[in-house]
């Protein structure tokens, strides 16, 4: 209901804007031109979702792997974790996207397309934040849980997989959901290397229609709807996990 009221408020603003002489007909579903333009804008939705979901899946696995050395008793492993996290977090995501797309083929001799360049850049950037989330989640589990697992003769791997991670994930789920929202929003920056996602489609339409305010307002609404859906999904998962407990 809150999301519906918010979207309705935006729609009201659009109608008020129409009264001030703005050309909302270029994105109006009531005109043939508007329908064509809206279809063009929405056509980038699939690439945005594919890019975000793929990057999030990779960054979650990579973040967990990067977090494990931080939990080790060996100092050099903790140093490796800290160097990776601080280095990756220090690089702006836009710079990382450009470096991966233009620099990685030169360094590694690989031919890489815009989709996978975006996935790699987003996954690397987000993995550093994911690593810190997983580290904090694992360390929040009571030590008594580990001791109980050892009393049952569980190995370290089994303890992590069966005892620690399930509890940690329940606690860090809101943070993971927030990171997915961040990845979803950062995916718009991949438009700078030609990725045909939502933002790129909006930029191309602005060039042909010369109505940036109206077109970018629709773009805002698209991202707003996506973020609200993700937030609702995360809250649903939280409720399900709470019921399971």
């Amino acid at each position: 209901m809150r999301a519906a009221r918010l979207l309705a408020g935006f729609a009201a603003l659009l109608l008020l804007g129409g009264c001030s002489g703005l050309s909302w007909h270029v994105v109006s579903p009531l005109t043939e031109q508007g329908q064509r333009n809206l279809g063009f804008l929405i056509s980038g939705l699939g690439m945005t979702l594919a890019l975000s979901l793929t990057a999030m899946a990779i960054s979650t696995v990579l973040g967990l792997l990067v977090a494990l050395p931080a939990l080790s008793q060996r100092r050099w492993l903790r140093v490796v974790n800290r160097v990776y996290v601080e280095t990756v977090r220090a690089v702006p995501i836009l710079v990382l996207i450009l470096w991966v797309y233009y620099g990685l083929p030169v360094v590694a001799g690989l031919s890489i397309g815009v989709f996978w360049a975006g996935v790699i850049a987003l996954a690397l950037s987000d993995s550093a934040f994911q690593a810190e989330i997983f580290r904090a989640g694992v360390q929040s589990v009571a030590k008594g849980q580990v001791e109980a697992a050892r009393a049952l003769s569980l190995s370290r791997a089994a303890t992590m997989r069966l005892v620690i991670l399930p509890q940690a994930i329940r606690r860090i789920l809101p943070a993971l959901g927030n990171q997915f929202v961040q990845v979803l929003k950062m995916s718009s920056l991949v438009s700078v290397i030609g990725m045909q996602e939502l933002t790129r489609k909006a930029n191309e339409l602005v060039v042909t229609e010369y109505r940036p305010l109206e077109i970018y307002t629709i773009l805002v609404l698209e991202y707003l709807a996506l973020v609200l859906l993700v937030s609702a999904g995360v809250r649903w998962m939280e409720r399900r996990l709470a019921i399971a407990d």
Side-chain angles (χ1 to χ4, degrees), residues 1 39 45 63 69 91 102 109 121 151 183 219 228 234:
M1 293 298 294
L45 178 61
V91 181
Y102 293 107
V183 170
L219 181 63
L228 290 175
V234 172

Side-chain angles (χ1 to χ4, degrees), residues 138-147 163-164 167 171:
V138 170
Q139 290 179 339
S140 70
V141 177
K143 293 183 178 180
Q145 299 289 324
V146 178
E147 295 173 355
V163 179
I164 298 178
Q167 297 182 61
R171 301 180 183 187

Side-chain angles (χ1 to χ4, degrees), residues 178-198:
N178 182 66
Q179 283 305 118
F180 183 66
V181 169
Q182 291 298 319
V183 170
L184 188 62
K185 293 190 295 184
M186 289 190 300
S187 68
S188 63
L189 296 175
V190 185
S191 62
V192 300
I193 59 174
M195 180 74 177
Q196 293 293 317
E197 40 72 65
L198 289 174

Side-chain angles (χ1 to χ4, degrees), residues 41-62:
L41 289 172
I42 296 174
S43 65
L45 178 61
M47 294 305 294
T48 292
L49 291 176
L51 178 67
S52 302
L53 291 172
T54 306
M56 186 64 183
I58 295 175
S59 67
T60 300
V61 175
L62 184 58

